[in-house]
Amino acid sequence: MKLTHSYVHGASDLPLIGQTIGDNLSETVSRLPDHEALVDHPSDRRWTYSELEEWSRKVARGLLARGVTTGDRVGIWSPNCAEWVVLQYATAYIGAILVNINPAYRVHELEYALRQSGVRTLVSATQHKTSDYRGMVDQVRGALPGLEDVIYIGDPTWPELESSASRVDSGEIEAIGKTLAFDDPINIQYTSGTTGFPKGATLSHHNILNNGYFIGEMLHYSEADRVCLPVPFYHCFGMVLGNLAATTHGATIVIPAPLFDPDATLETVEKERCTSLYGVPTMFIAEFGSPRFESFDLTSLRTGIMAGAPCPVEVMKRVISEMHMEQVAIAYGMTETSPVSTQTRPDDDLDLRTATVGTVLPHVEIKVVDSDNRVVPIGTPGELCTRGYSVMLGYWEEPEKTAEVIDSARWMHTGDLAVMREDGYLNIVGRIKDMVIRGGENIYPREIEEFLFTHPAIEDVAVVGVPDERYGEEVVAWIRLAPGADPLDADTLRTFCLGKIAHNKIPRYVKLVDAFPMTVTGKIRKVEMREISIGEFGLQVAGGIETA
Ligand code: AMP
C-alpha cells in the first residue's frame, strides 16, 4: 500500500519479549550451553554460553558481596574487553543499573557522569594508550562521597571481586531475579550532546532487550553468526546492536581490539571467520584505506550494520562488493530510542539498502512532522519522531529535559530531519540544527555530501553552513582527498558541480583536511567545523552573526 502521509507502524506477528535480560540470557544458555558466546581476540580468550553465564553470575555475586543492591548504579569506564560484556550481564542479573561511561571522557565529564547518576561502584580500566584511567579516578574520587567502591580491570581488585562471590549463596541470583521487572531501569547512557552537559538516557530491560532482538531478527541472526564488534560497548551500537542482538540469537560476540583499529578489525574477521561486521561509516572508510586491505580474507562475511551517521552510498556499495557483506544493513536510531528505529532488510534491493535508512522496526511507530507537530505528506522533510517499546524511560533525574523531547503522546522527538517515501522507507537529510538556509531556501548537507562522494578524488567529505552577508548562509565543504589525488579548490569543484546540482548547493568554500573533528562514536562535530570555517574564511561579522 502506498502511503500518503508520513506515518508508519511496524506491524508484526513476532511478539515482543516479556523477559528481563538475565532470564533471556539463561534461556539461550539452556539452548546452546557449549556454543561459543564470546571471543576476546586481543587476549585470545574465549567462553561458551554456559561459561559466560557462570562468569556473569560470579561477578554478580561478587557485586552483591560488596554491597551492591538492585537499583544501585554501577559504572563501567573502559575500552572494549570481555569484562565489559560480563559486567553488562552481571548487573542485569541483579537489577543494578549499568552506567556506561565513555572511555574518551576526561575528569570533568567523568565526575559529572558519576555524580549525576550517583554511581556507587565503578569498574574501570587502569590505563590504555595515553589514557591514565586510574589517575583520573583518583583525581575525582575525593569529591564523590557516594562513590564507595572502585574495581580495576587488570589489577588485583578484579580477581578479588570474583573471589568475594564465594560469600554469597548462588541461589541468591535466582531469588533476586524473581523480584525484577522488565520495565525496570537497567542502563544509563550519557548522550553526546553538542551543547551543555550530557544527559543520562535511562533504558529498561524491555527497551534494549527487544531492540537487540529485533535488530538481530532483521539480520537473520542464528547461532551460526559470529559478530565482529569494533564499535564501542559504552554506546548502544556495541552493547545493544552487538551484544544483545547476539545473545538473544545464540550468536558469538567477537571483540577485535580495545579501541577501533582498522587492521585489527580485518585481521579478526579473517581469523575468527566472522559472518557479520559493524561500524560507523568512518570505520569502514578507514578499513578500505588500510594499505593491507587486499591481503585479508573477508569471504566469511555475510552481513553487518553501518549506522550512527549518514552512510554514503558509495561506501555501502564497496562494503557489499569488496567485503562480501551482501546482506549488510543500514540502521538509524539514537540512544534515547534504545537505539534503532529503522533498518534496511537483507532482501531489500540495492537502492533501498544503500540509499535509505530502511523502514520501521517491528512494533515501533515513526512519523515525520512539521514545526506545528502535524504529520507531513509523503516526500516532505520534517522532524522524525519515534514511539513504542523502544523509547527510553527518560533522562536520569531530569524530568524537564525529558519533557522537552518526549511529548504527552509519548513520541520521542529526534531532532533529525527525515523524508518518508511512499513505501515507508526513510531518508535522513540532516539534523534540524545543521540544515543550511541559503537565500531562504533549505539545503540539506547530506544531499551535497552524497553528490561530492561521486568525485574520484574525494575520499571523505562533510558539508556545513557558514554565515554570509548576502545569502544568510553559504555552503562549505571539508574534503579529505583520496591518496595521490590532485588537490581540489573551490573553482575546480564548482566546475565539477555545474549542471549537476542546483547552483545554490555548490560549495562556496572548500577546505582540504586530513581529518574531521569527530566524537568517539564517529559522528562529525559539525558545530566545530562551522566555528573553524568561520575563523578560517574570516566570516566572523558576516550576516551580523557574532561568534566566539
Ligand atoms: P546517538 O544517540 O549517539 O546514537 O546519536 C544519534 C544520532 O546519530 C541520530 O539522532 C542521528 O543524527 C545520527 N544517526 C544515527 N544513525 C544514522 C544513520 N543511519 N544515518 C544518519 N544519521 C544517523
Side-chain angles (χ1 to χ4, degrees), residues 77-348:
W77 194 34
S78 167
N80 286 6
C81 60
E83 285 78 2
W84 208 115
V85 180
V86 163
L87 195 70
Q88 180 181 344
Y89 292 98
T91 46
Y93 273 128
I94 57 171
I97 302 172
L98 186 68
V99 180
N100 303 359
I101 303 168
N102 186 333
Y105 274 8
R106 292 298 171 255
V107 281
H108 181 66
E109 298 136 317
L110 171 71
E111 184 178 335
Y112 180 80
L114 293 175
R115 186 193 306 281
Q116 206 274 330
S117 60
V119 165
R120 179 198 184 280
T121 300
L122 174 67
V123 177
S124 173
T126 50
Q127 62 107 61
H128 187 76
K129 295 200 170 152
T130 58
S131 300
D132 175 13
Y133 295 107
R134 191 196 292 270
M136 289 187 273
V137 172
D138 286 344
Q139 279 184 57
V140 303
R141 210 172 164 177
L144 295 166
L147 180 60
E148 291 179 23
D149 200 6
V150 182
I151 295 151
Y152 290 100
I153 301 166
D155 91 346
T157 50
W158 179 271
E160 271 162 40
L161 169 72
E162 291 193 16
S163 56
S164 56
S166 61
R167 305 208 307 264
V168 173
D169 189 81
S170 59
E172 194 64 10
I173 304 287
E174 270 75 31
I176 293 175
K178 291 202 178 82
T179 69
L180 305 179
F182 59 66
D183 287 329
D184 292 341
I186 198 62
N187 184 215
I188 298 175
Q189 301 194 24
Y190 282 90
T191 55
S192 48
T194 44
T195 53
F197 277 109
K199 295 170 293 237
T202 307
L203 300 162
S204 65
H205 296 260
H206 198 63
N207 285 153
I208 58 177
L209 179 68
N210 278 294
N211 206 244
Y213 172 66
F214 280 101
I215 292 160
E217 282 296 299
M218 298 303 106
L219 298 175
H220 300 166
Y221 273 174
S222 73
E223 59 266 31
D225 284 297
R226 300 172 64 77
V227 190
C228 181
L229 296 177
V231 292
F233 287 141
Y234 83 83
H235 189 269
C236 358
F237 205 169
M239 68 169 312
V240 181
L241 285 77
N243 298 345
L244 289 170
T247 61
T248 48
H249 291 85
T252 307
I253 299 164
V254 181
I255 304 172
L259 298 176
F260 174 66
D261 174 326
D263 284 0
T265 304
L266 297 170
E267 183 193 294
T268 304
V269 168
E270 175 180 299
K271 291 233 168 82
E272 292 293 333
R273 304 299 294 156
C274 293
T275 62
S276 178
L277 172 63
Y278 289 5
V280 294
T282 48
M283 292 180 177
F284 286 103
I285 292 170
E287 287 155 17
F288 287 123
S290 162
R292 293 173 55 205
F293 179 78
E294 299 289 338
S295 70
F296 295 105
D297 176 359
L298 307 176
T299 51
S300 57
L301 288 173
R302 163 183 82 80
T303 187
I305 302 178
M306 195 186 295
C311 307
V313 175
E314 294 303 313
V315 180
M316 278 298 283
K317 287 185 180 157
R318 289 189 70 186
V319 164
I320 294 169
S321 61
E322 296 172 43
M323 287 183 166
H324 314 284
M325 292 165 56
E326 281 86 13
Q327 299 178 4
V328 64
I330 289 180
Y332 158 83
M334 70 192 316
T335 305
E336 289 87 336
T337 58
S338 292
V340 176
S341 290
T342 68
Q343 190 171 334
T344 59
R345 311 298 199 255
D347 44 5
D348 286 341

